[in-house]
Amino acid sequence: MTKPESEWTWKELPVGNVILEPGNASSYRTGDWKSFKPILNKELCIHCGLCYIFCPDMAYNLDAEGYFISDLYYCKGCGICSKECPTRAITMVVEEE
Amino acid sequence: MAKRVGMEVSIAAAEAVKQANVDVISAYPITPQTHIVEHLSEIVANGEMDAEFFCVESEHSAMSICIGSEATGARSFTCTSAQGLALMAEMTYIASGLRLPILMIVANRTLSAPLSIWNDHSDAMMIRDCGWVQYFVENGQEVYDHVFISYRLGEDRKVLFPVIINMDGFILSHVIEPIELIEQEKIDQFLPPYQPLHQLHPDKPITMGAFALPAIFAETKKAQEVALRGSMPKILEVWKAFGDMTGRYYQPVETYKAEDAKTLLVTMGSIGETASVAIDKMREQGRSVGLVKIRLWRPFPFEALKQATLHAKNLVVIDRAVSVGGPGGPVASEVKAAIYGEVLRPSIYNFVAGISGRDVAPIDFIKMVDKAEIEIEEGRKDGYEIYGVRE
Amino acid sequence: MIENLNVFAVRTLTQKEYFAPGHRSCQGCAEALAVRLVCKALGRNIIIAAATGCMEIVSSPLPFTSWRVPWFHCAFENTAAVASGIEVGLKVLMRKGRIPQKKIVTVGMAGDGGTADIGLQALSGALERGHDFIYVCTDNEAYMNTGIQRSSSTPFGASTTTSPAGKTAMGQITWKKNMAAIAAAHNIPYVATACPSYPIDLIQKVKKAADIKGAAYIHILSVCPTGWRSAPDLSIKLGRLAVETGTFPLYEVEHGRYHLSIDFPKLKPIKEYIKLQGRFRHLTEEMIEEIQNRIQREYEVLRERAKRGF
């Protein structure tokens, strides 16, 4: 895993400061920004995938049972999925500390 | 056998770009750079060269296209002057920070205002700290030669920096000189195709041009600074290799009748040839004078300059640009910085001469040496003036 | 509720993300969503040239990157020129056999400031030269990255930090610059407007742009909760309202022929769109009516064009 910026020496930087590991920012947790988190009621879910396609943070993934589930490591708690869910299957609840 | 042909220096530059198998050429017309792009567009239009040529809508875009194409691994070339260089100044810093070995010829011209198309070094001095390898050449042959030298040098993995060839506008760009053209096979051997270290391609998705927070920015700058300074041995090596191929050996600093001289003229660019005529005249009169010509401007050749100058009593440094409100001309500043640490060092008198194309004849150099020697003798050891201005 | 959106289509899309999670955009950033969808539409064989701006800052703090495709940032005003350079670089290297022949789509990406203001000259140059590339403008209607300053793409009446609503001023006093029309005036083969609130439409347009030879311009309205002073969970709804009120019509211009992607026999009142945004809070009834009338007029013109076809 890429070490944080404060640990790099000048000798270690690749020429031109290119980043050689694609998408390595995915180790960065944006999930702790949220004050609300989405909870899915699977009984209401129609598997339409709108929560998934409208998520600006790529937090939704398809699970083995065919549900789109929010990855709380990335979810910033914007609430778009809840707002856009056509069957109101997703509710935003206060994130416990 | 190499051919010696009389041709305009701008055309020689364009021929060199052709022979260097450049892939992408992007430029915007500005006097006195125009003849280079005109001739290049002809070469490409006639199918004499397999390259993409774009005459774009601004110098900023000309440099931006070179940055984009160079990042894919294509050998790229542009050229400009004065206001055009000012417009692309932003991108010159970025090309260096991204370590993209673009070649640019600057046909040096005065920066406005007042607007003037004539030659001096104010454009080059504006981007002095942009992080490119920069030299000032003295004649057309040097322009031609340095196209090959620059790509071989810049593309070397121990270097990976963009390179500027500064050539005096009109004085070089528009004159016809005898140019010894090098056979293509020799060039192909000297300059193999560019093998980029990093290149934009989906097979290896890299991120280029990430931004740096304060916690890492200083590390990026030090890496760049150490690398540019550290390219000096490579510069010497490439010049040596080129000399072995052509018999024309270049040095960061060159001297003329300087070894035993009490007073040394220090010049940069094409006025060095005129200055050498003045030196000959003064030597005939029995005066102890010599000439030091700075060819390599960045990385600055501190050691070579010291070796060439420390034995002298007086240095008469000729600048071709004004650092308005500053310590004198930029070349003099560098010379002073180079010798400051020495206990025994020459006095320096600094003239800014020949700005905006005003002629500097051999007699002017003699007058400047006369004046400097008197001023220093009388105790003004750090003088500076703009030469030849009507009071 | 969800017009022109085949819900089943979502599941047919690739699950792959080329814009990685962990990017640092604000909550509810529709610009990040727009970028995500553009990448999803194009797949891995692309190279992106990006402008300075929100999307650059949220995605590339050295030594981290959110990009799983080759991505290149240089400066603010030259995205189209850098993309031109990438396109010609690839072309000449393939022609000379130095890299294998393969379709690689070059994409320029910039915000409204980087497109309609400081980047307009470079964009015009690149469109005029006819490079084979896609230029995507993600328009959030102000300089959000530097703190919500007005751009020429800021709509009439919107309060920003440099077009504030004060005692005598009513926010932005100029009308939003019509970038898509400016792009279309270059006679390029493809121009489209899109909005991430209509993801399938957006993806289809981006794919079409990739297939077309020559320059393509896609203008994407990207709701910015931070700058628009709107609730983050309303970003999709606001985009939809922008389209439904005629504020931001979705259309294509293919080889000069106009086509409305969605036509509304009757537009929703602009008020429904405006009332959800703090940047318009100060607007008087008269100003809202003025906006309503102009939008209605402009929509009619566009509809006529689409009917005529040119």
Side-chain angles (χ1 to χ4, degrees):
Chain A
M1 205 173 82
T2 309
K3 60 184 179 181
E5 63 270 15
S6 55
E7 290 174 21
W8 287 69
T9 70
W10 67 269
K11 287 180 187 163
E12 296 169 322
L13 285 166
V15 171
N17 310 311
V18 299
I19 302 172
L20 299 165
E21 194 189 332
N24 63 353
S26 60
S27 64
Y28 187 76
R29 181 197 294 269
T30 51
D32 50 12
W33 299 10
K34 63 178 165 293
S35 41
F36 292 91
K37 66 178 174 189
I39 301 291
L40 172 68
N41 179 347
K42 289 188 177 174
E43 285 176 19
L44 293 176
C45 178
I46 55 166
H47 308 266
C48 68
L50 288 189
C51 51
Y52 159 79
I53 202 66
F54 284 137
C55 179
D57 299 308
M58 294 70 102
Y60 273 92
N61 294 300
L62 193 60
D63 75 0
E65 298 167 50
Y67 292 100
F68 287 96
I69 302 295
S70 175
D71 183 344
L72 297 180
Y73 188 87
Y74 299 120
C75 172
K76 294 171 187 166
C78 69
I80 285 177
C81 51
S82 168
K83 200 64 146 193
E84 294 304 318
C85 177
T87 61
R88 301 183 179 231
I90 302 168
T91 43
M92 299 303 288
V93 301
V94 176
E95 167 89 327
E96 303 294 332
E97 281 300 311
Chain B
M1 189 55 200
K3 268 196 306 187
R4 212 169 150 83
V5 188
M7 60 169 75
E8 194 188 78
V9 172
S10 287
I11 290 175
E15 287 294 321
V17 170
K18 177 183 88 179
Q19 287 190 280
N21 287 315
V22 168
D23 299 312
V24 175
I25 303 155
S26 171
Y28 184 86
I30 182 169
T31 304
Q33 150 266 35
T34 38
H35 290 189
I36 304 175
V37 271
E38 285 169 6
H39 193 66
L40 274 171
S41 61
E42 262 176 49
I43 289 173
V44 174
N46 288 333
E48 293 169 40
M49 179 185 186
D50 187 7
E52 291 288 322
F53 178 93
F54 285 98
C55 194
V56 297
E57 87 295 335
S58 75
E59 286 88 355
H60 197 284
S61 284
M63 180 54 70
S64 300
I65 284 189
C66 285
I67 286 172
S69 56
E70 191 74 41
T72 66
R75 187 174 281 164
S76 306
F77 174 81
T78 189
C79 51
T80 192
S81 300
Q83 307 310 119
L85 188 61
L87 187 56
M88 58 165 78
E90 177 195 24
M91 300 319 297
T92 62
Y93 279 72
I94 291 169
S96 166
L98 295 169
R99 307 287 297 274
L100 299 170
I102 298 158
L103 171 63
M104 168 158 64
I105 294 179
V106 179
N108 297 115
R109 161 183 156 178
T110 309
L111 270 182
S112 191
L115 188 121
S116 164
I117 58 167
W118 308 105
N119 162 248
D120 66 29
H121 293 172
S122 48
D123 54 0
M125 292 307 156
M126 171 189 56
I127 56 150
R128 184 188 65 178
D129 298 332
C130 68
W132 291 42
V133 174
Q134 300 169 53
Y135 14 66
F136 283 82
V137 298
E138 200 177 322
N139 55 45
Q141 187 68 55
E142 279 193 46
V143 176
Y144 174 82
D145 291 351
H146 276 77
V147 169
F148 314 114
I149 290 166
S150 299
Y151 279 120
R152 162 110 173 232
L153 172 71
E155 291 171 2
D156 190 292
R157 292 204 174 169
K158 287 202 169 65
V159 180
L160 288 175
F161 276 105
V163 184
I164 291 173
I165 302 172
N166 284 294
M167 70 162 180
D168 287 314
F170 293 113
I171 296 167
L172 289 184
S173 64
H174 285 55
V175 299
I176 292 168
E177 287 190 10
I179 308 287
E180 194 174 300
L181 300 174
I182 306 167
E183 296 91 329
Q184 190 62 44
E185 313 83 70
K186 275 190 175 177
I187 287 166
D188 293 342
Q189 222 168 19
F190 180 76
L191 181 63
Y194 176 34
Q195 305 276 350
L197 178 61
H198 304 300
Q199 69 193 116
L200 294 171
H201 195 279
D203 288 352
K204 194 167 182 292
I206 56 168
T207 287
M208 281 177 123
F211 80 95
L213 290 162
I216 199 169
F217 187 90
E219 280 69 24
T220 69
K221 250 328 120 174
K222 171 140 183 175
Q224 183 189 9
E225 154 77 349
V226 170
L228 187 56
R229 282 174 191 272
S231 65
M232 186 68 89
K234 211 56 191 181
I235 296 172
L236 301 180
E237 188 188 309
V238 173
W239 269 336
K240 168 81 169 50
F242 187 83
D244 291 345
M245 177 176 79
T246 61
R248 291 187 293 278
Y249 290 91
Y250 295 107
Q251 293 294 328
V253 171
E254 270 170 30
T255 57
Y256 180 68
K257 299 186 178 173
E259 291 70 23
D260 59 340
K262 187 184 84 173
T263 297
L264 291 174
L265 272 168
V266 181
T267 65
M268 200 160 75
S270 64
I271 59 165
E273 291 198 346
T274 321
S276 66
V277 175
I279 296 295
D280 287 343
K281 285 195 173 160
M282 287 187 276
R283 281 274 176 179
E284 279 167 25
Q285 295 159 2
R287 297 178 66 171
S288 178
V289 291
L291 174 63
V292 173
K293 297 182 284 189
I294 299 172
R295 177 176 288 108
L296 184 62
W297 177 235
R298 284 294 182 275
F300 192 78
F302 293 98
E303 282 312 310
L305 187 88
K306 278 199 271 190
Q307 273 178 26
T309 57
L310 281 180
H311 66 277
K313 185 168 171 292
N314 311 314
L315 300 184
V316 185
V317 183
I318 315 297
D319 261 290
R320 310 282 322 280
V322 182
S323 169
V324 181
V331 178
S333 291
E334 245 63 354
V335 172
K336 286 174 194 171
I339 65 172
Y340 182 75
E342 303 299 319
V343 180
L344 290 173
R345 55 177 191 254
S347 300
I348 292 180
Y349 204 88
N350 179 206
F351 290 95
V352 171
I355 48 176
S356 178
R358 193 173 290 188
D359 258 354
V360 187
I363 184 68
D364 295 306
F365 286 107
I366 295 169
K367 282 180 183 170
M368 286 189 265
V369 169
D370 288 347
K371 170 105 192 255
E373 284 184 342
I374 291 166
E375 293 281 335
I376 291 168
E377 195 60 41
E378 289 177 359
R380 287 181 288 279
K381 290 180 191 296
D382 193 20
Y384 155 62
E385 66 183 82
I386 301 178
Y387 174 79
V389 179
R390 289 180 299 278
E391 295 293 339
Chain C
M1 181 182 156
I2 307 146
E3 293 92 347
N4 197 39
L5 186 75
N6 180 352
V7 286
F8 300 107
V10 171
R11 298 183 66 100
T12 66
L13 296 174
T14 172
Q15 296 284 307
K16 289 208 175 84
E17 303 291 352
Y18 299 95
F19 183 49
H23 67 74
R24 303 171 192 200
S25 75
C26 306
Q27 290 174 324
C29 172
E31 190 177 12
L33 176 58
V35 168
R36 174 193 175 207
L37 295 173
V38 169
C39 291
K40 207 180 248 308
L42 293 171
R44 64 179 295 273
N45 284 319
I46 67 170
I47 298 175
I48 298 174
T52 311
C54 285
M55 289 304 102
E56 173 248 338
I57 290 296
V58 304
S59 69
S60 72
L62 188 68
F64 296 102
T65 179
S66 298
W67 301 96
R68 290 172 176 155
V69 286
W71 182 88
F72 190 32
H73 162 256
C74 280
F76 196 7
E77 69 279 53
N78 62 348
T79 310
V82 174
S84 308
I86 292 170
E87 189 256 351
V88 299
L90 292 173
K91 188 159 90 180
V92 70
L93 290 178
M94 284 183 198
R95 187 171 71 223
K96 290 185 172 181
R98 299 230 298 278
I99 57 172
Q101 287 281 349
K102 152 169 155 174
K103 183 172 167 76
I104 300 172
V105 179
T106 304
V107 186
M109 271 191 196
D112 49 301
T115 302
D117 289 347
I118 199 167
L120 185 57
Q121 178 179 319
L123 173 61
S124 177
L127 297 183
E128 176 267 328
R129 291 189 299 271
H131 294 278
D132 187 9
F133 80 124
I134 308 175
Y135 188 96
V136 175
C137 170
T138 47
D139 177 9
N140 56 19
E141 303 197 319
Y143 291 86
M144 300 310 183
N145 189 41
T146 43
I148 324 170
Q149 292 86 13
R150 59 89 59 184
S151 76
S152 61
S153 201
T154 303
F156 177 80
S159 180
T160 71
T161 54
T162 52
S163 65
K167 282 186 182 138
T168 57
M170 296 304 276
Q172 173 92 337
I173 55 166
T174 52
W175 199 256
K176 183 182 175 74
K177 188 185 275 186
N178 189 343
M179 260 317 298
I182 293 169
H186 288 77
N187 291 322
I188 55 172
Y190 189 69
V191 173
T193 63
C195 176
S197 302
Y198 298 82
I200 305 299
D201 176 68
L202 187 153
I203 285 171
Q204 281 169 350
K205 284 170 176 168
V206 173
K207 280 181 192 279
K208 195 187 269 187
D211 288 341
I212 281 170
K213 187 127 188 72
Y217 177 87
I218 302 182
H219 196 96
I220 305 180
L221 183 73
S222 309
V223 177
C224 170
T226 308
W228 294 17
R229 311 273 186 233
S230 56
D233 62 350
L234 291 182
S235 291
I236 304 302
K237 183 177 179 180
L238 273 170
R240 210 153 42 226
L241 280 169
V243 174
E244 290 168 350
T245 56
T247 307
F248 189 83
L250 297 182
Y251 62 96
E252 293 172 289
V253 190
E254 264 183 275
H255 296 285
R257 297 191 77 81
Y258 278 71
H259 168 71
L260 273 173
S261 311
I262 319 169
D263 192 8
F264 301 96
K266 190 166 163 30
L267 296 174
K268 281 191 177 168
I270 182 77
K271 213 170 176 176
E272 285 189 32
Y273 174 60
I274 277 176
K275 70 180 180 197
L276 297 173
Q277 305 173 52
R279 60 177 176 160
F280 293 121
R281 194 174 43 204
H282 57 282
L283 293 189
T284 60
E285 287 298 324
E286 295 77 57
M287 284 183 80
I288 293 173
E289 203 184 314
E290 192 187 333
I291 296 170
Q292 179 72 67
N293 290 340
R294 179 148 176 189
I295 280 176
Q296 189 68 45
R297 262 199 330 272
E298 290 195 351
Y299 192 80
E300 294 302 332
V301 169
L302 187 65
R303 184 187 271 155
E304 280 306 308
R305 268 195 159 162
K307 250 186 224 157
R308 272 203 323 268
F310 55 89

